Amino acid sequence: MKVDTLETARPGMPLPEITIERVDGGSVVPGTSGGWELLVVYRGRFCGRCKPYLAKLDALLDRLRAIDVAVLVVSADGAEDAAADRDEGGWRFALGHSLDVAAMRQLGLYVSEPVAEHEGARPFAEPGVLFLTPDGRVQILATSNAASCRPDLDVLVDGIEKTLERDMPIRGTL
């Protein structure tokens, strides 16, 4: 059986230049703001596990803003579905849409084909979290190949706070 290798983002490397369309208009290129950024990729509107996870992220948003970390969340969903998710969840973070398979692979995400009708008709990314340095390098990376495995957000935000407070180096580069 042949298994393709991921074109994966790795700790310490610059994030590939990927343009993400935003629900509120315009676009953003993660890793180019000149500040700390948290990029969270969710499976899409169909994912029941994603909604409480993103609600928790929204609840932690003030802590992240207090340490000047910008948050961007994105999925493969189109603009209409992403906007519906945002409106239903009352999310305050920046929300992107229409992430394509090439971008998913550049981010090092696992990509799945829909296996049930409720999952839609196009491939989608499994969960991923990338914390980016002000110069656009990957400081923290967590990806999963299934909805049931993703970083605990309380632990993640605590780790981000400690990383910034202690000026921690990027780990996992050997």
Side-chain angles (χ1 to χ4, degrees), residues 50-127:
C50 293
K51 304 305 186 310
Y53 192 77
L54 294 176
K56 175 72 173 185
L57 177 63
D58 191 75
L60 293 167
L61 194 58
D62 292 334
R63 275 178 66 189
L64 289 162
R65 287 178 174 165
I67 56 173
D68 295 321
V69 173
V71 176
L72 174 64
V73 177
V74 65
S75 76
D77 284 346
E80 187 175 303
D81 282 340
D85 265 350
R86 179 203 56 203
D87 295 346
E88 288 172 17
W91 302 332
R92 299 171 294 146
F93 44 73
L95 185 61
H97 63 86
S98 305
L99 191 65
D100 64 25
V101 172
M104 293 173 201
R105 288 202 167 275
Q106 286 181 300
L107 291 171
L109 302 168
Y110 294 93
V111 181
S112 291
E113 290 281 353
V115 295
E117 189 174 312
H118 77 278
E119 291 180 338
R122 65 177 153 230
F124 56 89
E126 294 295 345

